[in-house]
Amino acid sequence: MSDSAQLEKTPFVKEIPPKANDLSEWYQAVCYKAELVSLAPVRGCVVLRPYGYGLWERLQGALDTRFKATGHENAYFPLLIPEHLLTRESEHVEGFAPEVAWVTQGGNEKLAERLAIRPTSEVIVGVMYAEWVHSYRDLPILINQWANVMRWEKRTRPFLRTLEFLWQEGHTAHANETEAREEVARMLEVYREVAEDVAAVPVYTGEKSSSERFAGATHTYSIEALMPDGRALQAATSHELGQNFSKAYDITFAAEDQTVQHAWTTSWGMSWRMLGALIMVHGDDRGLRIPPKMAPTEAVIVPIVRAGSDDVTRAARELHATLRAAGLRVKIDERDLRPGNKFADWEMRGVPIRIELGQKDLEAGTATLVRRDKEKGEDGGKLAVPIAEVATRIPPLLDDIQANLLAQARTFLAAHTLRETGRDAFLRRCKERDGMIDIAWCGLPACEADVKAQTSATTRNTRALDAAGPCVACGEPATVRAYFAQSY
Ligand SMILES: [Zn+2]
């Protein structure tokens, strides 16, 4: 079927299937049922619905604050890139060519030159930096862009891989290699911090192998998370571009010693893919579990109203106003639905705290707080709190939920990070997706290709070797330690 003839419809999800049976099926059901996304009438594209957009805004906020705190400013570059500019950095164009979508016609006229829809913006940014940079005094340039990009992917899945996706891309230019290298490390640390401290998703940081490197980069670093099915997910990357792009796009400057030099550039990006990681890592059979710092709604009040209980409604509205005034992101659910249905609905959406308020609670002067991160009936999952204290009790409770989700995810990652020394066990674990398989590795592309051919696994990232010895995969001398896994 051709792309244009194929009209996809979001499947109707009656019930979320068990997560352990089929992660992929569970994942898609949660994305649709929680109204994060709908499939668009264009193959491989999704509509980000308000609740999904709310999640994205939380992630944006966490990143943007940190970008600004590290001296970056936001700017915006155009969507279209003329073909002759795209082809100037040869490795870059070769890497992206199979995924580029082209504009060939404007109105009724066929264009003299094709225009690429940006798959990423190094090219257009490079052209502009060449125009802006003249002297060492113009450096560094520290710019971030919030944008959509397009990559013509064959297989797609909400958040993890779509034709068009939202992301941020940082682009910086520096007077020397040391500064560029420090920038790349600094931004990798920002990504690690946002993944772990905000999204509660623990990650491994390290350098990508040469075959997994960004097209045109001299060094690529990544953060890698582990999903419940034993697949790794690359959640952000930070690239040293050396002088490759500044030579291709003429970003030169007069140095302090009056010599003309090429700038050292970097780029770094995180996309809405991070939301896919968060959904898979924390969700359960009841649906999403959103870490409080990422939650568009931190708490929801459900008044349990029976006929004639106007005082419950009044007290619930008062509590809503009090919590809002205290700066909490809180909702009140006054829909004409049974309380049990409302409970299940908010659980499915992963709101961290539910506040139940009924006639009995009111008579006792308390509200019942229910934590989404605890199992039903688990100790501390349900608390009776005096109504007057709810506003002060919620913030520490949210902190505790945030910490608990991170701790659970860390326990899973630790239990599924396996240090292997034997070749057979290493290959079997890669094939069976046992987790992050940690080995001493030679760093040779042929070795990685061989492992991939046998097991579908690749290196996720690498770090310094702690002891000399042979590569576990091929027996040549090891040069780094590497995590191998199958990936999304
Ligand atoms: Zn090897």
Side-chain angles (χ1 to χ4, degrees):
M1 204 185 287
S2 77
D3 286 354
S4 56
Q6 190 173 356
L7 193 70
E8 294 191 68
K9 261 199 113 160
T10 310
F12 174 73
V13 179
K14 193 157 175 249
E15 256 178 89
I16 294 169
K19 190 181 180 190
N21 288 6
D22 183 337
L23 183 67
S24 173
E25 199 189 336
W26 171 90
Y27 175 76
Q28 307 217 29
V30 167
C31 285
Y32 302 139
K33 181 113 178 136
E35 299 179 349
L36 299 176
V37 295
S38 278
L39 291 179
V42 184
R43 182 195 71 86
C45 293
V46 295
V47 176
L48 194 55
R49 301 184 67 176
Y51 194 45
Y53 205 89
L55 273 180
W56 174 240
E57 282 179 319
R58 297 298 308 164
L59 183 63
Q60 269 194 314
L63 289 168
D64 206 65
T65 305
R66 287 166 176 81
F67 295 160
K68 284 172 182 157
T70 45
H72 303 86
E73 295 177 298
N74 288 328
Y76 188 77
F77 296 84
L79 175 73
L80 301 174
I81 306 167
E83 182 167 19
H84 77 277
L85 291 179
L86 192 67
T87 50
R88 242 193 250 168
E89 212 291 334
S90 57
E91 268 187 43
H92 185 66
V93 69
E94 209 176 292
F96 278 100
E99 299 177 359
V100 173
W102 296 96
V103 174
T104 57
Q105 188 166 322
N108 291 326
E109 273 171 57
K110 205 167 155 41
L111 303 180
E113 181 186 15
R114 297 195 294 174
L115 300 171
I117 297 176
R118 64 180 162 216
T120 178
S121 301
E122 279 73 11
V123 167
I124 198 84
V125 170
V127 170
M128 298 318 297
Y129 283 9
E131 195 178 307
W132 298 342
V133 175
H134 305 287
S135 144
Y136 69 91
R137 296 179 199 88
D138 300 325
L139 294 171
I141 302 187
L142 306 172
I143 284 180
N144 173 65
Q145 155 165 275
W146 289 100
N148 57 343
V149 289
M150 180 162 273
R151 295 177 188 176
W152 214 257
E153 304 275 4
K154 288 195 176 72
R155 290 190 55 220
T156 60
R157 213 187 300 228
F159 297 118
L160 303 178
R161 184 159 277 125
T162 45
L163 263 57
E164 181 183 359
F165 60 89
L166 295 182
W167 77 344
Q168 60 68 217
E169 46 181 324
H171 296 275
T172 69
H174 306 264
N176 60 61
E177 187 173 19
T178 308
E179 268 184 38
R181 186 159 291 171
E182 285 167 0
E183 167 76 5
V184 164
R186 187 179 303 121
M187 301 328 284
L188 188 71
E189 172 57 16
V190 163
Y191 290 143
R192 185 207 60 76
E193 189 183 293
V194 168
E196 297 191 336
D197 299 351
V198 181
V201 173
V203 292
Y204 289 128
T205 59
E207 181 167 3
K208 299 297 272 189
S209 69
S210 54
S211 53
E212 296 278 322
R213 199 180 281 156
F214 177 73
T218 55
H219 298 276
T220 287
Y221 300 84
S222 71
I223 58 170
E224 304 277 338
L226 184 64
M227 299 301 107
D229 62 352
R231 265 187 245 258
L233 189 140
Q234 177 180 297
T237 47
S238 186
H239 316 287
E240 274 184 61
L241 304 175
Q243 292 175 311
N244 292 346
F245 283 83
S246 66
K247 284 180 177 161
Y249 296 96
D250 294 324
I251 311 172
T252 56
F253 65 95
E256 268 181 273
D257 62 8
Q258 301 305 318
T259 59
V260 174
Q261 298 186 13
H262 283 98
W264 298 79
T265 65
T266 84
S267 66
W268 28 275
M270 180 182 269
S271 76
W272 68 17
R273 200 165 209 238
M274 187 68 228
L275 303 181
L278 175 157
I279 294 163
M280 281 199 278
V281 165
H282 299 303
D284 65 13
D285 288 353
R286 288 185 278 156
L288 296 168
R289 296 193 307 168
I290 315 265
K293 288 182 187 172
M294 283 293 295
T297 302
E298 294 167 301
V300 61
I301 301 169
V302 180
I304 303 163
V305 184
R306 292 200 175 77
S309 60
D310 290 348
D311 43 349
V312 168
T313 301
R314 200 176 312 119
R317 287 179 185 169
E318 257 171 47
L319 182 59
H320 184 220
T322 305
L323 298 183
R324 284 182 66 131
L328 292 163
R329 299 188 294 281
V330 60
K331 278 197 161 145
I332 183 166
D333 186 352
E334 297 197 62
R335 287 177 295 174
D336 184 18
L337 280 176
R338 293 156 64 109
N341 292 343
K342 292 185 185 181
F343 297 169
D345 190 41
W346 293 109
E347 276 173 2
M348 188 267 299
R349 283 161 208 272
V351 172
I353 298 174
R354 179 173 80 236
I355 305 167
E356 302 173 7
L357 192 63
Q359 192 63 41
K360 268 190 197 155
D361 297 297
L362 203 56
E363 279 159 19
T366 60
T368 305
L369 272 50
V370 184
R371 293 172 62 149
R372 178 62 180 91
D373 61 319
K374 301 263 187 183
E375 294 298 325
K376 278 184 175 153
E378 192 180 338
D379 252 8
K382 224 171 190 183
L383 310 158
V385 171
I387 293 174
E389 289 176 22
V390 172
T392 51
R393 291 285 291 279
I394 283 184
L397 204 54
L398 290 170
D399 289 347
D400 200 51
I401 295 170
Q402 181 84 28
N404 184 37
L405 289 174
L406 177 61
Q408 287 180 9
R410 276 199 200 288
T411 301
F412 178 85
L413 178 60
H416 293 85
T417 298
L418 304 158
R419 215 176 152 101
E420 270 305 339
T421 50
R423 177 180 155 89
D424 291 347
F426 162 67
L427 292 175
R428 178 174 45 77
R429 287 193 182 286
C430 283
K431 204 182 268 175
E432 292 176 2
R433 297 208 307 254
D434 284 348
M436 293 281 197
I437 319 302
D438 175 13
I439 63 162
W441 185 51
C442 61
L444 300 172
C447 174
E448 187 172 17
D450 181 51
V451 173
K452 188 175 182 181
Q454 293 195 50
T455 68
S456 305
T458 51
T459 56
R460 301 325 305 153
N461 58 30
T462 68
R463 63 202 192 284
L465 200 59
D466 48 6
C471 167
V472 172
C474 74
E476 292 291 317
T479 55
V480 287
R481 286 210 69 88
Y483 294 109
F484 274 77
Q486 296 184 34
S487 74
Y488 274 93

